[in-house]
Amino acid sequence: MSAAPQKAKPGAEKIAVNVTAVVPLNDLVTRFEFQRSDGDLFPPFSGGAHTVVTMDDNGRHRLNPYSLMSDPADLTTYAISVRRDDEGRGGSLFMHRNVSVGDRMTITYPVNLFSLDLRARKHVFLAGGIGITPFMAMIAQLEHSNGNWELHYACRTPALGTYVDELRYKYPNKVHIYYDDQNQAIRLEDLLDGQPLGTNIYVCGPKGMIDWVHATASAAGWPDANVHSEEFLAPQPGEPFEVRLCKSDKTITVGEHESLLEAIERAGVEAPFLCRGGSCGQCETNVVSHDGTFVHRDHWLTEDQHASGEKIMPCVSRFAGKSLELDR
Ligand code: FES
């Protein structure tokens, strides 16, 4: 991550919004636009920031993080783009099927865990699929200040090339598109080789792509500080399990399709979060005791911490076994 996590109040501050546009972009991706319900301007944000959208799904709250993709200079409107995940736990399906213009929702204040390093002389963006969204806002931000950037964007097919037409039209010399179904691939070694000193690279996309960019840049001698990535992991469904929340004196059951964090919230217990994707460290929770196995999925804790069984990131990680007691 490129920026230190900011402290937030438990649950992060919320803003009431109205849905002002729902724009299907292709078979999988729809853009949602929001304006504040109180008519005020939104808080300022910088490219790479995300917000967490609360969905009220028949009384069940789902909270999903999405990158803000609108122009940071326009504080009348926030926009996100949501890729439908038919195999997921339902948040993106809820957005696609249930959210329409005029609906009222709540979103959190923006938080940026993937910000531009404005000291960089050049910014090279590498996007895979829906990973294009943070770069839409970063590009808008850099265009306002004549920033030096280029985008390399890999999509599965032309039909799923979200925002490709707009990007090519606006920035024909800075945008490079690669279609998997046409066997086009980003030639990363060559790309890295030709960059001026002081260039920073940013990658957002599938885990394989992120790992590939970090490994290739590292092998080419790029400093870690010049390579930025963002990957929010979606919590995975799993077998239900029971948890004792010691401080709150409550015992809860985590359902098959909810995360441990969501189950804690459903019990009315406040728990901090920022990313809800295993990246920011904000939800780190101490384990008081356990008899079973952790299914750690975050990339915040170290391997040693995972092995110790002393901590868990409840936004993405689960547990299987007889008993689990948390310091919450
Ligand atoms: S909320 Fe960010 S790691 Fe859990």
Side-chain angles (χ1 to χ4, degrees):
M1 286 295 138
S2 54
Q6 301 162 22
K7 286 283 175 205
K9 292 182 181 174
E13 298 252 23
K14 306 260 178 28
I15 306 170
V17 298
N18 294 350
V19 179
T20 52
V22 176
V23 185
L25 300 168
N26 53 45
D27 271 0
L28 289 179
V29 180
T30 295
R31 183 173 72 240
F32 297 86
E33 295 179 6
F34 306 113
Q35 292 186 354
R36 284 181 71 129
S37 302
D38 60 12
D40 283 351
L41 295 177
F42 279 110
F45 72 101
S46 52
H50 74 273
T51 183
V52 175
V53 177
T54 302
M55 304 161 211
D56 186 0
D57 188 358
N58 278 325
R60 186 177 155 189
H61 280 182
R62 300 177 189 280
L63 290 89
N64 279 18
Y66 296 103
S67 295
L68 288 172
M69 52 153 300
S70 39
D71 184 344
D74 176 7
L75 297 180
T76 64
T77 302
Y78 277 178
I80 60 171
S81 290
V82 179
R83 183 187 189 282
R84 199 186 71 232
D85 179 0
D86 296 325
E87 309 295 318
R89 300 169 322 118
S92 67
L93 281 176
F94 177 87
M95 291 296 292
H96 277 248
R97 290 178 181 163
N98 298 70
V99 174
S100 21
V101 171
D103 285 359
R104 292 176 75 111
M105 304 185 81
T106 56
I107 65 175
T108 60
Y109 272 65
V111 168
N112 202 337
L113 303 169
F114 188 45
S115 50
L116 289 164
D117 184 340
L118 295 173
R119 298 163 303 179
R121 288 174 56 197
K122 182 178 176 187
H123 308 269
V124 174
F125 302 131
L126 300 162
I130 194 64
I132 188 63
T133 51
F135 298 131
M136 299 296 286
M138 288 176 166
I139 288 169
Q141 180 179 340
L142 287 174
E143 281 294 301
H144 291 305
S145 57
N146 275 325
N148 185 8
W149 63 271
E150 66 185 49
L151 168 71
H152 297 263
Y153 177 17
C155 314
R156 270 162 51 190
T157 67
L160 293 176
T162 312
Y163 299 114
V164 162
D165 291 346
E166 176 183 333
L167 287 163
R168 272 187 165 154
Y169 176 74
K170 283 182 165 169
Y171 317 110
N173 301 322
K174 295 181 172 180
V175 170
H176 308 268
I177 308 295
Y178 307 80
Y179 292 120
D180 293 349
D181 71 340
Q182 296 172 21
N183 291 324
Q184 297 167 343
I186 300 172
R187 294 162 62 97
L188 189 55
E189 282 95 348
D190 295 347
L191 183 62
L192 296 177
D193 202 22
Q195 299 305 327
L197 206 63
T199 298
N200 275 229
I201 313 169
Y202 307 77
V203 53
C204 186
K207 179 170 170 37
M209 181 180 190
I210 292 173
D211 292 347
W212 169 63
V213 170
H214 278 289
T216 309
S218 173
W222 283 62
D224 284 351
N226 287 24
V227 184
H228 314 265
S229 59
E230 174 158 81
E231 184 199 8
F232 287 168
L233 303 162
Q236 296 298 305
E239 289 291 312
F241 59 98
E242 206 167 82
V243 185
R244 176 87 191 140
L245 304 176
C246 296
K247 273 192 196 144
S248 322
D249 193 21
K250 289 186 177 180
T251 300
I252 61 169
T253 300
V254 182
E256 181 182 352
H257 289 286
E258 70 182 340
S259 67
L260 171 53
L261 178 59
E262 287 167 345
I264 293 171
E265 290 166 338
R266 184 167 51 76
V269 174
E270 286 201 334
F273 69 85
L274 285 181
C275 73
R276 301 182 82 89
S279 300
C280 73
Q282 203 59 214
C283 70
E284 183 178 305
T285 303
N286 289 327
V287 174
V288 175
S289 73
H290 75 283
D291 180 2
T293 312
F294 291 98
V295 185
H296 291 294
R297 296 196 60 255
D298 63 280
H299 37 207
W300 175 260
L301 299 174
T302 62
E303 281 184 21
D304 285 351
Q305 285 175 315
H306 284 162
S308 76
E310 291 172 359
K311 289 179 186 298
I312 187 169
M313 309 305 288
C315 63
V316 290
S317 298
R318 300 183 72 87
F319 175 79
K322 278 195 197 146
S323 66
L324 173 62
E325 291 189 321
L326 296 181
D327 185 26
R328 179 67 72 205

